[in-house]
Amino acid sequence: MKRWLFALLLISTTLVLVSTGALSTPLRLRPVSRTSDYVRPELPSEMLPLHDIRLQSRQGKVEQVHLSVLRYDRVVIGFLRDINDLPNTELPMQATLRYGTNRSSLDHEMVLNARVYSGMQEYNGYLWNPPMGAPTLNRSQVAELMNTASWAEPWWYVYSNTTVADIPENHSVAAIYNNPSALYQSPLVFNAKLDNLQPRTTYYYDIDGEYTGNFTTLPEPGIADGPMTIGLWADVGQTNISAMNMEYMLKQVNPDFVMLHGDLSYADAYWPRWDTWLRLMEPLMSTKMHLWCKGNHEFNSGNENNVAYMFRFATPFKESESPTFEYHAFETGLVHVITLASFARFDNQSVQYRWLMRALERVDRTRTPWLVVQFHVPWYCSVLGTGSRLLMREAMEDLLYKYGVDLILVGHVHVYERTYPVYNNQTNACGAVQLVLGDAGNREGPSLPFIDPQPSWSAFREGSFGVGKLVVYNHTHAHFEWHRVACEYSNATNCVTPGDNSAQARVPSDSTWLVRNTTQCPNRLMPTQRV
């Protein structure tokens, strides 16, 4: 093992020297463009139709299985039962989960209780020109849905406004409060917290004899028993390219666990789209643990208000003494991850800021030297008019720089961009490398054009679909790759997105070594004592 690490260190150092031109013998290297010449179609991708076979309910059977990691020894298995179309069946308010390290002898058993939640689905103008994932309806269909003549209470007429045209959508208050079809009822939601698991161990599980799966736990903090691979993606959605990226993440990246930096389903309060998204993602999420982060599509798009996100996805906020599921901390192997909320107060008087100060003070850099932060909206991005979270950057960047954060992961803007180490809007060897990874397949289309000229802190940028792969090798060296997945439609021999200019459908189009230099950057040793 020591020989292997020493050889890797030599190779890694050589690669870094080559990339910076620091060898004693000059090399003739071809100039590398900092902006990719890849051209992606600017048209948005289509949401998968609701009749797609991958999105179908299992009619009361276990479905939408997904794994959330809370600690190296604590994992939550989430799953749902869709009984909405089964009114005459018995209400299965409990489920039994069995698990263990021997596939043929699952020696642990848990009985779980179900939860449900509801949401409003307003029948108004949005439905024939929807900004969310709802199916488009014409005006006559909306009027039919809102025909309340036979059952609406007389009081609803007080909401009519004589200054507004008397058309059905202006009476939407009746649909909101009285029309049963305007209310979404979630499937039965179950969450099983598995505790005291063994590190680096494969566990098998069975849910009511209807669904079986497995996952492998992570190493203890401070343990470096081999490379650890982390999958990175954001702004996923549910299009053909979302499905391709999911498959690529599972089979090609094959991570130890996955970090998703916000904007999951793009349901936008058309609530059934949360169910279709988790059905689509189940092959990956039922075997690879995720560490979640919320974005605007979990919060304010369609008045989501975190409801579906909070009920469905477990986060390690209790483990990290956070007052809310919105921000939290997690550590495994040589990596310490802090998740922040772009859509919660972040000024120095806020709870989030003060929790962050405490969380940074508690990092033990001798045990988990790699300090990684994820949130949704970028602080540095060279796309025109991206609306980057500059006020959050002004509030928190000094704090992250003080504690020597190595890597910042974000989404939101639908491109890929990697910065050089940056701080205070300038390249700085002791700042954090920031990765914008905001296009795993959502329906909204690319966020282009890029600003010209390219900012000095921008190392590489590409308007492409894809996912990220981060491999942590040791205390000082990690390697990152952006895998462009230019593939929206496929058959047995062909895999392309019509209109792009990629020679290959799937290719790592950018990569870099990340090297922690604590001599040059003593802030990467902060804090010097653990509180």
Side-chain angles (χ1 to χ4, degrees):
M1 179 64 71
K2 290 182 178 179
R3 291 180 182 176
W4 179 84
L5 289 174
F6 180 71
L8 173 64
L9 182 61
L10 289 177
I11 294 170
S12 304
T13 305
T14 303
L15 285 171
V16 172
L17 291 174
V18 169
S19 67
T20 56
L23 293 177
S24 57
T25 302
L27 296 177
R28 294 183 178 181
L29 298 177
R30 187 178 66 179
V32 177
S33 173
R34 293 166 55 219
T35 299
S36 172
D37 59 4
Y38 168 75
V39 176
R40 171 191 157 183
E42 293 191 16
L43 294 176
S45 300
E46 294 181 0
M47 292 277 278
L48 290 173
L50 293 174
H51 60 74
D52 189 292
I53 188 65
R54 295 167 289 184
L55 310 185
Q56 299 309 299
S57 168
R58 294 194 182 125
Q59 298 295 309
K61 301 293 184 182
V62 172
E63 63 173 53
Q64 305 181 48
V65 183
H66 55 282
L67 306 174
S68 304
V69 61
L70 304 186
R71 288 193 338 193
Y72 76 93
D73 61 350
R74 185 174 296 165
V75 174
V76 172
I77 301 178
F79 59 94
L80 293 88
R81 287 186 182 276
D82 185 7
I83 62 168
N84 286 313
D85 295 327
L86 304 170
N88 298 320
T89 60
E90 183 179 351
L91 189 61
M93 289 297 293
Q94 291 187 327
T96 300
L97 181 140
R98 296 185 302 119
Y99 67 97
T101 57
N102 187 331
R103 188 195 301 266
S104 60
S105 178
L106 305 178
D107 51 2
H108 298 275
E109 183 173 298
M110 303 175 66
V111 177
L112 311 167
N113 294 316
R115 298 192 303 165
V116 296
Y117 64 92
S118 298
M120 292 288 186
Q121 301 195 132
E122 299 185 28
Y123 292 115
N124 53 32
Y126 283 135
L127 286 178
W128 59 75
N129 185 23
M132 68 282 250
T136 300
L137 303 179
N138 61 42
R139 296 174 77 91
S140 62
Q141 289 173 304
V142 172
E144 183 179 351
L145 287 167
M146 291 182 55
N147 183 5
T148 63
S150 63
W151 49 264
E153 297 290 338
W155 56 259
W156 81 275
Y157 286 104
V158 304
Y159 288 89
S160 62
N161 186 338
T162 56
T163 64
V164 180
D166 187 21
I167 58 176
E169 60 268 28
N170 292 332
H171 298 158
S172 63
V173 67
I176 295 173
Y177 291 110
N178 295 284
N179 187 345
S181 61
L183 298 173
Y184 166 81
Q185 174 189 275
S186 75
L188 300 174
V189 182
F190 297 88
N191 284 291
K193 184 186 292 186
L194 281 54
D195 211 343
N196 297 316
L197 304 177
Q198 296 300 310
R200 288 289 198 187
T201 302
T202 298
Y203 282 83
Y204 303 90
Y205 62 91
D206 176 281
I207 308 172
D208 280 345
E210 297 175 4
Y211 191 96
T212 59
N214 67 83
F215 62 91
T216 301
T217 53
L218 300 173
E220 294 180 70
I223 300 300
D225 55 359
M228 184 169 68
T229 300
I230 307 172
L232 310 173
W233 63 342
D235 298 74
V236 181
Q238 42 195 304
T239 66
N240 271 317
I241 192 65
S242 308
M244 296 290 180
N245 274 303
M246 180 272 292
E247 180 182 344
Y248 190 90
M249 179 74 80
L250 175 63
K251 296 180 179 179
Q252 305 301 321
V253 177
N254 188 25
D256 293 294
F257 75 103
V258 181
M259 295 171 61
L260 202 167
H261 328 305
D263 284 2
L264 284 62
S265 72
Y266 282 74
D268 296 351
Y270 184 66
W271 303 100
R273 280 293 187 181
W274 277 106
D275 301 312
T276 56
W277 184 73
L278 272 175
R279 291 168 190 150
L280 182 66
M281 295 292 134
E282 189 181 72
L284 170 69
M285 294 182 177
S286 62
T287 191
K288 300 295 183 182
M289 298 168 289
H290 268 65
L291 187 63
W292 313 98
C293 171
K294 71 164 194 167
N296 54 294
H297 284 270
E298 284 70 60
F299 179 57
N300 66 333
S301 297
N303 292 322
E304 283 271 352
N305 289 322
N306 297 318
V307 173
Y309 178 82
M310 178 178 62
F311 269 84
R312 291 170 182 257
F313 305 107
T315 65
F317 74 98
K318 292 181 180 179
E319 287 76 4
S320 49
E321 299 183 17
S322 168
T324 172
F325 63 93
E326 297 175 282
Y327 39 88
H328 41 81
F330 169 78
E331 57 182 2
T332 179
L334 302 178
V335 179
H336 192 113
V337 180
I338 292 177
T339 299
L340 299 176
S342 294
F343 299 95
R345 271 192 61 177
F346 45 73
D347 57 276
N348 62 8
Q349 296 181 354
S350 67
V351 174
Q352 179 174 204
Y353 185 94
R354 284 179 277 187
W355 172 84
L356 174 60
M357 291 179 62
R358 181 68 169 161
L360 289 168
E361 289 172 354
R362 291 183 169 188
V363 178
D364 185 347
R365 298 304 281 268
T366 63
R367 185 172 69 161
T368 52
W370 289 95
L371 182 51
V372 178
V373 174
Q374 70 167 344
F375 46 88
H376 185 59
V377 183
W379 291 355
Y380 292 92
C381 183
S382 64
V383 169
L384 184 65
T386 57
S388 298
R389 209 71 163 142
L390 298 183
L391 291 179
M392 186 180 183
R393 187 179 93 189
E394 291 175 3
M396 291 183 163
E397 187 178 28
D398 287 348
L399 193 58
L400 298 192
Y401 180 80
K402 172 184 175 181
Y403 283 92
V405 169
D406 299 291
L407 188 62
I408 293 177
L409 308 169
V410 296
H412 191 63
V413 181
H414 304 157
V415 297
Y416 164 68
E417 185 164 18
R418 171 174 58 87
T419 74
Y420 297 112
V422 60
Y423 169 62
N424 196 25
N425 208 36
Q426 296 180 341
T427 57
N428 184 309
C430 303
V433 171
Q434 311 209 12
L435 301 174
V436 180
L437 306 160
D439 209 353
N442 70 85
R443 59 181 163 76
E444 291 182 330
S447 300
L448 295 170
F450 288 116
I451 295 170
D452 189 24
Q454 187 169 358
S456 60
W457 44 256
S458 176
F460 185 82
R461 56 189 187 176
E462 178 176 89
S464 63
F465 298 117
V467 299
K469 178 181 180 180
L470 176 66
V471 183
V472 177
Y473 287 100
N474 53 40
H475 284 68
T476 58
H477 285 68
H479 190 260
F480 170 78
E481 293 178 343
W482 170 251
H483 288 248
R484 181 173 74 218
V485 184
C487 176
E488 192 163 3
Y489 303 98
S490 67
N491 54 37
T493 59
N494 195 27
C495 185
V496 297
T497 296
D500 73 23
N501 69 340
S502 60
Q504 294 176 279
R506 300 182 175 103
V507 59
S509 59
D510 182 42
S511 65
T512 187
W513 282 95
L514 306 172
V515 182
R516 299 188 68 254
N517 187 331
T518 56
T519 301
Q520 181 182 6
C521 301
N523 63 336
R524 300 208 191 280
L525 295 173
M526 285 287 289
T528 55
Q529 288 185 331
R530 190 159 191 209
V531 178

